[in-house]
Amino acid sequence: MGRVTILDTLLRDGALSEGVSFTPEDKIEILQLLDRLEIPYLEAGWPYQWPEDLEVFERARELDLKGRLVAFGSTRRPETDPDRDPNLRALLKAETDTVHIYGKAWSLHVEKVLRTTLEENLAMVRETVAYLKELGKEVIFTAEHFYDGCRHDRGYSLEVAAAAVEGGADILVLGDSVGASLMHEVAKGIRSVKEAHPDVVVGFHGHNDMGLAVANAIAAVEAGAEHVQGTIGGYGARTGMTDLSTLIPILKLKMGIDVVSDEALRNLTPVTRAIVNKIGVGDLDYHPFVGYKVFAHRTHSHIAAVLSDPETYEPIPPEAVGNERRLLLPGIARASYLESLAQRLGVDLTGDSAANQRIREELLRLEEAGYTYEDAEASLELVLGKLTGRFHPAMTVERLRLFEVIRGKHQPVVEASLRIQLGSHDEYVAAEGTGPVTTLFEVLLGALREVRSELGPLEDYVCGIKLAAVRVRTFYPRGKQELRARVTVTFSDGARTWSTIGISRDLIQATWQALFDGIEYGLYTKAEAEGIEPPLFK
């Protein structure tokens, strides 16, 4: 197969997702993350819809991005000259060499949404593209609702595509804008347009309303499409659109199309996780290729098979996309599994020393209390580190108070106060927030800020640790009749994520344990990476 280019529309299509919003600062940060994937086209915003995007384009021009910045807009309005159209004027203020324009390709939308004639809509497409080409722009034209239009009036949808070509479009994209098409329909549309316009690059833009966006993108490429649009993480209107974090490795590793370099592909997992954590919407647990659980193997038979040959249960090598293999068993105390896992964390438990026996006994005690580490390996590494002397505890809680107060008539506020021993420092701090988890997190970080002089190079690092996710479930420990809460907290420092767990009869205590352990783990491992000798506090 030939060359295929990709356009990421996260900063425009992603903003149409429920619960997602971007500040200009967010967009600049995400642009830099996306550029690590070497995606050729980076759509940075829609100036007419969101005027603040002009600030994004201005700042992005200073970033020296590998990808080409793209501004988004629509065809001119009915009965309006292109040079007088406010949408196009806003688009041109972005000053990008490449522009992405959409126009209606479904007669229903033309007549009932635009409220104009079919002939005028064709002129809108043709004249808008021609106007932008005269200004020296590379023009990507997306025929919105192309496939929906084909199901009702195929001839007119093809006329819209032809009008874009007549105007001089560099890339002609066929949109499955309702996500209602099947693979054979997508392939048929690509072939029809390519046969009619063999010299034009034809692309695909698909939504995921029926869960087929990635499959349809593959069908489009197999039918000859040379351009695909989507978003990292699959964000987009309604149920989202083609997920590039799934499509890119399929194109490269399964179809042999070098859409990105090997090095860029290895950035896929950390970049996707950083973007999802930044957005704060979505769950990567079971996400293909980049998820936390996609290369996790739990049963004896699966683990034995994977250790013999990873191909037995893995579609690709996890390191190819920057992910990692995780070998899980329900019982941490099983000797062979524990030894293998501990060795990966830098602890040799193969001998029968008294120290190793003490470690096994402590892990068995924790397991009987309900501690399993399948989704919180940082907690296990922390336990092993403390038992072996790798980590030296430097923080001791003397007193923690958490309570809810009411301000005014109806405004609830959660307040926390903490007295904590940090090495030789005895600190008392307070914090407030809208919920118990964030308030506990802030009061702990507040204590660390009080001893910033002792943190040295870790001072800025502490301020960059963020909460990424909190999950709660209840269970009965083995042989016990008393319900326990199990809280898993996931943290992010912008470059990596880790998870810790807390278990208690009390939900707040379990949450505090997970938060406390997570901050300790982040500090310990960052100190190791920076070559700072523990303890952190003197």
Side-chain angles (χ1 to χ4, degrees), residues 94-128:
E95 298 182 6
T96 59
D97 293 330
T98 301
V99 294
H100 178 198
I101 298 296
Y102 80 94
K104 301 293 188 182
W106 184 4
S107 56
L108 175 70
H109 268 253
V110 174
E111 296 173 332
K112 293 193 174 182
V113 178
L114 294 181
R115 297 184 180 278
T116 190
T117 65
L118 301 182
E119 293 74 17
E120 172 63 7
N121 182 62
L122 293 175
M124 290 160 58
V125 171
R126 185 184 306 107
E127 292 172 13
T128 300

Side-chain angles (χ1 to χ4, degrees), residues 146-154 157 176 178 180-182 185:
F146 175 85
Y147 289 99
D148 305 308
C150 281
R151 281 187 284 273
H152 296 82
D153 186 347
R154 183 176 183 80
S157 296
D176 184 26
V178 180
S181 299
L182 300 177
E185 295 175 291

Side-chain angles (χ1 to χ4, degrees), residues 212 394 463:
L212 295 175
C463 297

Side-chain angles (χ1 to χ4, degrees), residues 341-356:
L341 182 56
Q343 187 172 19
R344 183 153 58 87
L345 298 176
V347 179
D348 185 2
L349 292 180
T350 56
D352 293 326
S353 66
N356 281 353

